[in-house]
Amino acid sequence: MFYYILKRIVLGIFAVLAVSGLVCVIVYFAPVDPARMSFGQRTDEETIEIFKKKYFLDQGIGMQVFHYFEDLSPILWISNTDTRIEDYTHFVLKKFKTHHLIVKHPYFRKSYTSGKSVWNSLTEALPATIILAFTSMFLAIIIGLTLGWWSALQHQKLADRIILSFCTLVYAIPSYISAILFAMVFAFYLGSWTGLSIQGSLWEFNDFGQVGLHLENLILPTIALGIRPVSMICQMSRASILDVMGSDYLRTAKAKGLTEWAYLTKHILPNSINPILTTISSWFASLLTGAFFVEYVFNYKGLGMLTITAINQFDIPVVIGCCIITVIIFVLVNIITDILYRFFDPRITHH
């Protein structure tokens, strides 16, 4: 098991590096001048050239990507005249005549538009998105599994058809459309009754400049983001349970006179969990990193809002940083899912 986890982690690191490199190449082809965006159109040419040399923007795409990965690397062999070392939080392992061997924190550079550290922006935005994804996924799991199990137990009956029709309808509606509809209905038209705002983030400043927690701003984004996973979890759990219920050993167990509760919890659920777990894990990764448009509709300041704002402003370091964090989240969720398979289904062995 240990070697399997280690293997998955190593493969995950290679996947993150490969996708990050591809993202860097695509973003660096953007038709913008980062130096001009950082200092404005009226900046003197000398300042522009210093900026370009510092971040290797005067070189080819390949060298730009290579030096960006140098900034991300925790260990770096760097010239003692390299001005980038001023931006690093580092410790010098060994000094040489012309170079230093240093250990440093991964450096995501600074925003071209605000000059703020990209890492600080990411750490400020990510917690709000994580909370939104967890609440949406919790809502989707509770409702989806309940509807799926009930639909399977009522197979081919009226309740089954109603639930399947509902799942088809909510899955056909994109999340950003759901977000707009919920904002209009429950915040605009019924706002005086519900007390909900059309836009708002989890943490907001009041009139005195103090940061306050506003949990009410989490309600509508949670519902809008979690309604589509309800459909998939419901349909997958229904199909998985029906498949297990049709097996020979389940018919034998039921014929022996098992109680309904034992029949469900000891036989159906353990043997139908893997497809459900796969659906939940894939949708959780999507929710955690794909809440972009829902956050944008509700002005919910999370990773999605940060990414869209950076794309609109062609803020390359922020865009790349958001994409790298997104890839890391997907890889981590997949690794955790593979590990959970082993605990939920002892028939699975890892080599």
Side-chain angles (χ1 to χ4, degrees):
M1 186 67 175
F2 171 77
Y3 292 105
Y4 172 77
I5 296 175
L6 182 62
K7 178 182 177 182
R8 294 289 294 139
I9 292 174
V10 171
L11 292 175
I13 291 173
F14 279 112
V16 170
L17 293 176
V19 176
S20 300
L22 180 61
V23 169
C24 288
V25 171
I26 294 173
V27 173
Y28 276 124
F29 270 112
V32 296
D33 187 346
R36 291 291 180 186
M37 293 192 66
S38 298
F39 297 107
Q41 297 298 323
R42 298 182 180 180
T43 306
D44 59 279
E45 292 299 327
E46 183 179 356
T47 303
I48 296 295
E49 290 303 319
I50 292 174
F51 182 88
K52 287 184 176 181
K53 288 182 179 179
K54 180 177 181 179
Y55 293 108
F56 307 96
L57 299 175
D58 56 343
Q59 300 184 15
I61 296 295
M63 292 305 298
Q64 291 184 45
V65 174
F66 173 77
H67 289 299
Y68 185 82
F69 274 93
E70 279 189 334
D71 289 342
L72 295 180
S73 173
I75 301 177
L76 185 61
W77 173 260
I78 188 171
S79 171
N80 51 22
T81 60
D82 196 325
T83 57
R84 292 179 300 165
I85 200 169
E86 301 171 357
D87 299 322
Y88 295 156
T89 302
H90 68 283
F91 173 77
V92 179
L93 284 180
K94 187 71 175 179
K95 292 184 178 181
F96 296 92
K97 186 176 181 179
T98 59
H99 286 75
H100 292 162
L101 181 63
I102 65 173
V103 176
K104 64 180 183 65
H105 293 166
Y107 180 56
F108 285 82
R109 298 186 177 176
K110 295 180 180 179
S111 168
Y112 288 159
T113 57
S114 67
K116 185 178 179 180
S117 168
V118 173
W119 177 249
N120 290 341
S121 298
L122 292 172
T123 53
E124 290 174 4
L126 190 57
T129 299
I130 291 176
I131 293 173
L132 175 60
F134 268 103
T135 54
S136 300
M137 201 69 241
F138 179 78
L139 177 70
I141 290 173
I142 296 300
I143 299 177
L145 289 181
T146 302
L147 291 178
W149 292 341
W150 180 250
S151 180
L153 295 177
Q154 301 293 316
H155 184 52
Q156 296 297 335
K157 296 181 181 179
L158 178 61
D160 182 28
R161 295 188 177 93
I162 293 175
I163 292 173
L164 290 179
S165 300
F166 168 77
C167 291
T168 302
L169 175 63
V170 298
Y171 184 75
I173 303 176
S175 296
Y176 66 91
I177 298 296
S178 300
I180 295 173
L181 292 175
F182 282 119
M184 289 177 58
V185 174
F186 295 104
F188 184 72
Y189 293 113
L190 302 178
S192 58
W193 293 354
T194 62
L196 300 176
S197 301
I198 295 178
Q199 293 185 331
S201 189
L202 193 57
W203 291 280
E204 289 190 336
F205 289 96
N206 59 21
D207 295 336
F208 301 99
Q210 300 171 331
V211 179
L213 180 64
H214 294 264
L215 292 176
E216 68 275 8
N217 291 335
L218 189 63
I219 296 174
L220 293 181
T222 295
I223 298 174
L225 191 61
I227 193 168
R228 291 190 77 210
V230 166
S231 171
M232 291 305 299
I233 293 173
C234 173
Q235 294 187 63
M236 181 56 68
S237 59
R238 174 185 179 275
S240 182
I241 291 171
L242 286 176
D243 182 62
V244 172
M245 289 174 64
S247 58
D248 294 336
Y249 71 92
L250 254 296
R251 287 193 291 267
T252 302
K254 192 171 184 179
K256 289 182 178 179
L258 284 181
T259 64
E260 192 72 19
W261 179 252
Y263 178 67
L264 289 173
T265 58
K266 294 184 179 180
H267 294 278
I268 293 180
L269 182 59
N271 291 287
S272 63
I273 193 65
N274 274 0
I276 301 173
L277 183 62
T278 302
T279 304
I280 292 174
S281 63
S282 61
W283 270 100
F284 177 71
S286 299
L287 291 182
L288 195 58
T289 59
F292 294 178
F293 295 106
V294 172
E295 291 185 3
Y296 195 75
V297 169
F298 290 103
N299 196 29
Y300 184 90
K301 295 178 176 61
L303 185 65
M305 186 72 176
L306 178 66
T307 305
I308 292 179
T309 303
I311 292 173
N312 289 335
Q313 296 174 345
F314 290 101
D315 199 343
I316 292 176
V318 180
V319 173
I320 295 177
C322 291
C323 290
I324 291 176
I325 293 298
T326 300
V327 174
I328 291 173
I329 290 172
F330 266 100
V331 170
L332 284 177
V333 170
N334 286 331
I335 292 174
I336 293 172
T337 302
D338 288 341
I339 295 172
L340 289 177
Y341 281 155
R342 179 65 180 85
F343 291 101
F344 281 106
D345 192 346
R347 296 172 298 178
I348 298 177
T349 58
H350 300 302
H351 302 285

